[in-house]
Amino acid sequence: MKIFFVLFITVAAELFSQTSVWHNRYVVQQWNVEAGLPQSTVRCITQTREGYLWVGTWNGLARFDGVTMKVFRSANVPALHSSNIMSLFTDSKGRLWIGTDPGGLVLYADGLFTRFDSTDGFSATRILSINEDRSGRIWFATEIGIFAFDGKKFLHFTEDNGLIRTYANQVLPYPDGAMYLGFVGYGSRAHLEEDLLMIEDTFPVGGYAVGIDIDGTVWFGSRDRGLVKRINGNETVDKKFAGVHPGETYILRNNSKWLLTPNNIHIISEQGKNVLTKIDHVTFESITTVFEDREDNIWLGKEGGGLILLRKKQVEVLTKENGLYSNEIMSGLEDRSGRMWIGTWNGGLQMLPNISSNTFLDVPLPKKTSGVYTLCESSNGTIWAGAWGAGLYSVHGKSIRQFVRGIVQPFTSIVAVAEDTGSGLWVGTAHEG
């Protein structure tokens, strides 16, 4: 079970002062040849049903369980005629497809490696991309065209079948069952009718990787235009990536975009843009491939840099370095709308706008207080803050007021506040009862 401690608040900007911070919300691990990787440049990554991560390099295939790596090469796997692994894909049946150069196509299923060649109807030796369409057919981009496998036979398509070029470098599924066929500088949308390839549309794309999101939008990087999105034949430039030169690869996840440029990672979401340049000793440059596993972890292959794991921190420690006025936290409250209120010692009341924000908000209580000991939300949405030696405060919308009644005075030390089921407010003090 993942447990998230969310610090969240949305209040009018004119009410609270803001302190901008950059908080690194990711941790990174890196594995290289010293950890058992067969070679230092990772070309492709996939995950099988058992949870194993499979990593392809220039000199072998590694099966990684998170601790140890088992290496498969042509020397110990006869079906692998080449140890240069170009592409990997796990299909809907749990089978692992392995594309090599120049050793052709290999299938790993039920613990056995099987090679396909011209006798099976597959004559390509260089497989650059593998994917699956909605009907379960497996598609291959190769140096001699596009192949499609229906479980019984291979279909082979070239320029004679309408391809704009023979050399293909990418195959991707559209959500509606069509396939994207990628070539240098061009892409085609196509589908099969019986065994015939029907080209629906061919259009120019940039020199970088192409992605298709869950809505069927095609994204591609262009040297001159930036990151371009293509919907129903119409193309626009995603302005959120303005000024970013597209790199070799990117991924689309949950409608957010992770763009890996030559020197950093740009993560665009509805909450804004974050840029990762370096975490600890690991720099994000010369990325060769990117893969997201079933736990939403991001795996990166790096030219000469091995395998990199990038994942969100599950526990984050926020300190004065992040903009807090004090490291001594006395109280915290998440209200019904998901906002988080933080009471500090000698720092008053502060908040973060949301989990991905880099801005702390300061709640200016009318009277300077040494510490906010307790917080409570009432049924009408009012936030009650009890302070040491400074009484009780209510925060509702833009209004912040000090509450004075009975034993609750401006100098009273408040240590507990709670609302009962009848909307009655109970206040516990340090000395007055």
Side-chain angles (χ1 to χ4, degrees):
M1 178 184 293
K2 295 182 180 179
I3 300 175
F4 298 93
F5 186 68
V6 182
L7 305 180
F8 193 94
I9 179 74
T10 54
V11 189
E14 62 267 26
L15 179 61
F16 302 133
S17 62
Q18 300 185 5
T19 304
S20 295
V21 299
W22 164 249
H23 185 67
N24 186 355
R25 301 186 183 277
Y26 298 90
V27 293
V28 67
Q29 289 178 268
Q30 188 173 27
W31 294 265
N32 217 313
V33 291
E34 295 81 7
L37 202 64
Q39 200 265 342
S40 61
T41 295
V42 171
R43 302 294 307 278
C44 44
I45 306 168
T46 191
Q47 185 180 31
T48 51
R49 284 181 177 176
E50 301 86 353
Y52 288 118
L53 200 74
W54 291 78
V55 182
T57 74
W58 288 105
N59 190 30
L61 177 66
R63 188 183 69 187
F64 186 40
D65 62 8
V67 180
T68 59
M69 296 189 187
K70 183 175 181 179
V71 175
F72 303 91
R73 292 191 177 100
S74 54
N76 62 350
V77 178
L80 284 173
H81 286 203
S82 171
S83 297
N84 180 17
I85 311 299
M86 294 291 294
S87 54
L88 293 170
F89 180 73
T90 303
D91 67 19
S92 58
K93 296 181 180 179
R95 301 174 298 183
L96 174 65
W97 295 89
I98 307 163
T100 72
D101 180 22
L105 178 65
V106 177
L107 174 65
Y108 179 76
D110 300 322
L112 299 176
F113 290 91
T114 303
R115 183 175 182 269
F116 295 92
D117 56 26
S118 57
T119 61
D120 305 294
F122 191 90
S123 52
T125 59
R126 192 171 199 240
I127 298 91
L128 290 89
S129 177
I130 308 171
N131 226 304
E132 182 176 8
D133 67 19
R134 194 171 62 180
S135 67
R137 284 183 294 254
I138 311 301
W139 293 70
F140 309 89
T142 79
E143 86 282 13
I144 59 170
I146 297 290
F147 285 83
F149 181 63
D150 62 5
K152 297 180 180 179
K153 65 181 182 300
F154 286 94
L155 301 175
H156 183 201
F157 306 108
T158 66
E159 291 179 66
D160 294 337
N161 304 99
L163 299 185
I164 190 170
R165 292 179 179 174
T166 294
Y167 191 97
N169 58 21
Q170 195 171 19
V171 282
L172 291 170
Y174 284 92
D176 63 1
M179 289 296 291
Y180 170 87
L181 313 179
F183 311 89
V184 177
Y186 291 90
S188 294
R189 176 186 163 92
H191 70 276
L192 289 180
E193 292 185 7
E194 298 296 334
D195 290 346
L196 298 178
L197 183 69
M198 310 300 293
I199 304 295
E200 303 175 22
D201 186 24
T202 295
F203 48 93
V205 296
Y208 299 114
V210 176
I212 300 177
D213 66 21
I214 59 176
D215 298 322
T217 302
V218 178
W219 298 80
F220 61 88
S222 169
R223 290 180 182 273
D224 300 325
R225 301 167 65 189
L227 191 65
V228 181
K229 56 183 177 181
R230 181 183 177 88
I231 306 174
N232 298 325
N234 299 314
E235 295 181 0
T236 57
V237 176
D238 192 331
K239 295 181 180 180
K240 294 189 293 292
F241 283 96
V244 177
H245 188 274
E248 292 297 331
T249 184
Y250 59 86
I251 59 173
L252 309 173
R253 58 191 299 269
N254 302 326
N255 283 329
S256 66
K257 290 83 180 167
W258 292 49
L259 179 69
L260 287 81
T261 72
N263 297 308
N264 48 50
I265 301 174
H266 292 253
I267 305 172
I268 304 292
S269 66
E270 296 301 324
Q271 288 74 39
K273 178 168 69 175
N274 290 333
V275 180
L276 302 180
T277 58
K278 181 179 180 180
I279 297 179
D280 296 333
H281 61 286
V282 179
T283 57
F284 302 108
E285 56 189 10
S286 302
I287 301 300
T288 57
T289 188
V290 58
F291 175 77
E292 183 178 11
D293 69 18
R294 293 196 294 266
E295 296 180 345
D296 299 331
N297 298 312
I298 305 300
W299 296 86
L300 308 173
K302 185 175 181 179
E303 184 77 34
L307 178 67
I308 298 171
L309 168 61
L310 183 65
R311 59 182 174 84
K312 282 190 174 182
K313 292 180 179 178
Q314 295 199 14
V315 175
E316 298 183 29
V317 179
L318 307 180
T319 68
K320 293 174 70 174
E321 293 181 358
N322 305 101
L324 282 173
Y325 289 139
S326 171
N327 287 341
E328 298 178 79
I329 309 301
M330 310 306 296
S331 56
L333 169 71
E334 182 182 11
D335 65 21
R336 290 188 299 273
S337 64
R339 300 178 298 181
M340 193 70 193
W341 303 71
I342 307 165
T344 68
W345 181 258
N346 287 329
L349 194 57
Q350 288 185 277
M351 287 79 64
L352 282 177
N354 54 57
I355 191 63
S356 61
S357 174
N358 61 0
T359 303
F360 270 98
L361 303 177
D362 178 37
V363 183
L365 298 179
K367 181 179 179 182
K368 183 175 177 59
T369 174
S370 57
V372 176
Y373 257 64
T374 184
L375 292 164
C376 168
E377 181 186 17
S378 65
S379 56
N380 68 354
T382 298
I383 302 298
W384 293 91
W388 185 264
L392 182 65
Y393 300 88
S394 65
V395 182
H396 191 89
K398 299 180 181 181
S399 174
I400 302 178
R401 297 179 179 178
Q402 188 172 44
F403 180 87
V404 178
R405 187 173 299 172
I407 63 172
V408 180
Q409 294 296 314
F411 52 80
T412 305
S413 293
I414 309 298
V415 295
V417 181
E419 185 184 51
D420 62 26
T421 56
S423 299
L425 193 69
W426 294 77
V427 182
T429 72
H431 307 105
E432 283 78 18

